[in-house]
Amino acid sequence: MFFYYLDLAWRSIKKTPFLSLLMVLAISIGIGITITTLNVYQLMSENPAGERTDKLVAVQLWSQDKDAWKEFNAQLTYQDAYNLRQSDVPVRQTAMFVTGLAVQTEDPDFVPLLEAVRVTDSDFFDMFSVPFIYGKAWDKSVDTEAVYQVVINEALNQQLFAGEDSIGKTLYLDSKPYQIVGVTKTWSPSPLYYDITTGAFKDSAQIFVPFSLAPIEEFQSWGNNQSWKREPINTYNQRLSSEMHWIQYWAEVQDDAQRDEYAQWLKRYVEQQQLLGRFDSPEAAAKLSNVEQWLEINEVVPEDNKILVGLSGLFLLVCLVNMLGLLLAKFLKRAPEVGVRRAIGASRAQIFAQHMVEVGLIGFGGGVLGLLWAWGSLSMLSAHFDLEAALTQLDLTMWVLAPTIAIAAALIAGVYPAWRICSTNPSVHLKSQ
């Protein structure tokens, strides 16, 4: 019976192509705008840490004086990061920042590249579940005894070494030879939760080098550098011992008990620093945030986005009201035909079901066209407004969600017109024949 109704619906649509096209356009525009905003909202609010969200904690310290910032800074000073690395409470921990280095190979014809490089500890790769295709992270001992080793990603390995196993080969960074010890698979969590200081939707770095090399090679920070204290920073050593906040710090704990133990360790660290004349604020403290809390604290999903989703829903509602009017006009126009069908035995339920199938078919068409609108909108935003690629990709779930929303919305809008037409009194129209 459903396919019979589907056939009748298709014939009805072909009889009134212009009116049907108007309805498809009305719902497609509403769906297109709704899916565009929903897609951006979903991509921004996704928690890429998954099951590890409670095990990974961002560390913050209120190290500034009482007259400085009135909130925890997202980053730490180098001296605090260095000291925190001495703790044996967390399962894993890593300090990190991003720098930029010139990349060269042993090929004399290779044109050097300027690439962002993440300076971090060996635990970074296990903490954030970075997959490898060749090799692995540098040894744990390199975190304390600096060695010129490097991990690169799949794309750079393809560009430099044609995708071959490059473990053991030499890569030159700012003319210094580094031994490649690992090649990661393509990996770029979105949002880039472990470092949101320069934008939460940027791509992950392609190169990783040991944090222990920072004071030796004097890597410059390409990220945010914030300082509450006026102090001379003319040399790299002055930078390392300054109160400038420029290091991101994450730790991994097994469970809540270990998290509490680490929080107590940090509390004692704060007290120790106060005895040394630092953390001169009554609000001095340490703070741990899991990934979900971290994304919320840093407002990775701005309040404006939630408002936009609400407004797009209202726009879809306006489109449905217009569709309801068009459906009413279309169905009532067929009242004489329906009256005849009722007179020869068609029940109200059959007439209602037939028209609801037609409405569903129109909704499906609007959903498919709406997806094209959404894809076009995201492409246009990407091309003209230089948005991060992670925000302008149509999520796979939207390909299912868009037709579903469109069909459901169309069915809701079609209930009243279908009920009106199935309530037609056949005697009225038989007299007029």
Side-chain angles (χ1 to χ4, degrees), residues 62 64-71 228-229:
W62 191 299
Q64 64 271 27
D65 279 354
K66 56 186 176 183
D67 296 327
W69 310 315
K70 299 301 179 186
E71 59 185 2
W228 54 270
K229 185 178 182 181

Side-chain angles (χ1 to χ4, degrees), residues 341-374:
R341 288 194 59 203
R342 287 289 315 280
I344 60 177
S347 67
R348 286 186 178 183
Q350 289 172 325
I351 298 295
F352 182 83
Q354 173 197 332
H355 286 83
M356 289 303 285
V357 169
E358 182 174 343
V359 170
L361 188 59
I362 292 171
F364 177 75
V368 173
L369 189 56
L371 270 176
L372 296 178
W373 285 120

Side-chain angles (χ1 to χ4, degrees), residues 1 70 86 141 168 210 230 257 260 307 315 318-319 323 335 376 381:
M1 187 61 76
K70 299 301 179 186
Q86 313 308 315
S141 61
R230 187 180 296 274
D260 292 342
I307 295 173
F315 184 78
V318 172
C319 293
M323 184 181 175
L381 288 172

Side-chain angles (χ1 to χ4, degrees), residues 117-120 138 149-150 173 178 207-211 213 219:
V117 176
R118 182 151 296 276
V119 184
T120 187
W138 51 83
Q149 294 183 339
V150 62
L173 300 176
Y178 287 70
I207 304 172
F208 303 85
V209 298
F211 188 82
L213 283 172
F219 296 131

